[in-house]
Amino acid sequence: MAHSTVSAGLAAGLLAYAQSRCTNAANLRAKVGLTDKDLIDPDARVSLRQYLVLMHHAQIATKDPAFALHWGEDVGMADISIVGLIMNAAPTMGAAFQQLQRYGRLAMEINDPAGSPHFELHQQDDRLFMVYEGTTVQNVPELVENAFVRLTCGPRQFLTAPHILSVYFTHAAPSYQHEYERIFECPVHFDAKWNAMELHPDVASWTVAQSPEYMSKLLEEKAEQLLSNMSAQQSLCGQVEQALLPLLHLGNPGADQVAAQLGMSRQTLFRYLKNEGTTYRQVLEDLRHTSAISHLKSQTLSIGEIAYLLGFSDLAAFSRAFKRWTGRSPRDFRQNL
């Protein structure tokens, strides 16, 4: 399973939008260790951890806690990813959803052991829902709301009737709840059982076709090549992350145990990770960092419970680590979401 990544186009788009909001993009980029070279090719990959931290710093720099909402509203997916272009070229909304399922990981590839798509359609009491199915890492509120806003605002440019009837989020209502209602233009529910959007029951047959069929075929050929390249470049780092996820609560999962799960020796594991520019300790540290941010933003667990799940001996140890990662305490981070 590949290391969790997003396209460089997505990261570059975030930086460009932050720059348009009078923020120094170069400073933001430097905070997460990215260079101009990393972002030249929009189809190159950037780690999910860097992307999440970049989003966090952009929120702070723009003094906009609703940054993810506003970015999704103002910048369409077709402007930053081939995925948006392909969906816009689909003949119908139903076909566009199929393209999202097929090519969505070109924009964001989450290290998911089930290999399941991020979105699933559910029929419930004659109502149609698009449900965001995700692991803890996928369910960071900013990732969910940014995806939902783009899937709502993008099609409005060519649809003649509302296709989103109601929206549901598992996280608690933030202080800027009114912005959700303004952007989605329909009822928005928080503390829900799922992250989902209710769709118009006939939406699958509605026409899209914003590009000629010839262009659609060219885009699909390009996307298939990109998928093939990603599969060929699957990293050991991602496999180690997946092996570590159920072991985090143990405190310091041993490299021997992980190496055995992956069918190699400890020395081989260390050598391969070195070839990928990282270490076992760094993979573990990055996974705890990303998971901590995800848990704190979801607001479903106490800080003490998060400390336990991530394998810290006590709350103080977790607080020290989190302050090292972000410069803030877990409590301060959560209170200022």
Side-chain angles (χ1 to χ4, degrees):
M1 179 61 62
H3 183 44
S4 299
T5 61
V6 303
S7 69
L10 211 60
L14 189 158
L15 283 166
Y17 184 64
Q19 182 81 45
S20 73
R21 301 279 300 276
C22 301
T23 298
N24 190 314
N27 286 347
L28 289 179
R29 191 181 65 233
K31 286 179 182 293
V32 296
L34 290 173
T35 66
D36 282 330
K37 185 178 179 181
D38 295 323
L39 304 176
I40 290 176
D41 179 3
D43 297 316
R45 311 305 295 178
V46 172
S47 80
L48 176 65
R49 182 188 66 81
Q50 287 176 307
Y51 179 70
L52 290 175
V53 175
L54 190 63
M55 178 83 76
H56 173 61
H57 283 300
Q59 289 173 323
I60 295 173
T62 59
K63 299 180 181 179
D64 180 11
F67 179 88
L69 285 176
H70 295 147
W71 180 40
E73 178 186 23
D74 295 339
V75 181
M77 196 65 174
D79 294 321
I80 54 178
S81 172
I82 191 174
V83 178
L85 291 171
I86 288 177
M87 292 178 68
N88 283 354
T92 65
M93 288 291 286
F97 175 74
Q98 292 177 338
Q99 299 289 50
L100 175 63
Q101 296 293 79
R102 172 66 180 164
Y103 300 113
R105 69 190 185 99
L106 291 178
M108 182 173 297
E109 183 179 38
I110 304 295
N111 189 9
D112 181 357
S116 59
H118 296 176
F119 296 94
E120 294 281 1
L121 293 180
H122 288 257
Q123 196 84 33
Q124 188 176 96
D125 299 327
D126 297 323
R127 299 166 70 189
L128 180 63
F129 294 90
M130 177 185 283
V131 182
Y132 188 88
E133 303 281 4
T135 62
T136 298
V137 173
Q138 288 167 282
N139 280 323
V140 173
E142 285 85 353
L143 294 184
V144 181
E145 63 192 27
N146 185 257
F148 279 15
V149 169
R150 286 212 167 94
L151 290 170
T152 300
C153 294
R156 281 181 182 159
Q157 64 186 306
F158 50 79
L159 296 180
T160 58
H163 62 298
I164 305 298
L165 305 183
S166 60
V167 181
Y168 299 81
F169 292 106
T170 58
H171 59 270
S175 59
Y176 49 92
Q177 181 176 351
H178 61 282
E179 280 297 273
Y180 289 82
E181 296 163 352
R182 179 188 66 79
I183 293 170
F184 286 106
E185 299 179 2
C186 66
V188 180
H189 307 275
F190 297 91
D191 290 314
K193 67 176 182 179
W194 55 12
N195 290 305
M197 295 187 293
E198 181 184 359
L199 308 178
H200 190 288
D202 301 323
V203 71
S205 63
W206 292 359
T207 301
V208 179
Q210 296 298 294
S211 300
E213 184 178 356
Y214 177 73
M215 179 64 73
S216 177
K217 290 180 179 178
L218 288 179
L219 289 169
E220 287 189 33
E221 288 177 7
K222 172 67 172 177
E224 288 294 336
Q225 183 60 54
L226 291 172
L227 284 180
S228 177
N229 292 345
M230 284 178 65
S231 296
Q233 296 170 3
Q234 286 184 339
S235 70
L236 178 65
C237 180
Q239 297 178 52
V240 172
E241 280 187 347
Q242 200 52 56
L244 282 170
L245 277 172
L247 304 176
L248 286 181
H249 70 283
L250 297 178
N252 289 299
D256 289 331
Q257 181 178 358
V258 171
Q261 281 187 237
L262 299 178
M264 62 183 69
S265 69
R266 176 191 180 97
Q267 290 74 19
T268 299
L269 173 65
F270 286 177
R271 184 172 71 253
Y272 284 171
L273 287 175
K274 182 179 180 180
N275 290 341
E276 292 183 5
T278 189
T279 65
Y280 178 81
R281 182 177 295 277
Q282 188 61 52
V283 174
L284 179 58
E285 180 91 346
D286 287 349
L287 185 59
R288 283 201 169 112
H289 181 182
T290 302
S291 297
I293 289 176
S294 175
H295 283 306
L296 287 167
K297 288 187 173 182
S298 71
Q299 303 205 37
T300 57
L301 297 172
S302 70
I303 295 177
E305 289 171 328
I306 295 171
Y308 167 76
L309 286 176
L310 298 183
F312 290 94
S313 57
D314 53 37
L315 185 55
F318 174 50
S319 295
R320 286 193 298 272
F322 194 81
K323 193 163 187 179
R324 184 175 71 250
W325 297 329
T326 67
R328 304 164 68 186
S329 71
R331 190 174 306 281
D332 179 56
F333 180 88
R334 173 170 275 180
Q335 289 175 345
N336 288 279
L337 289 177

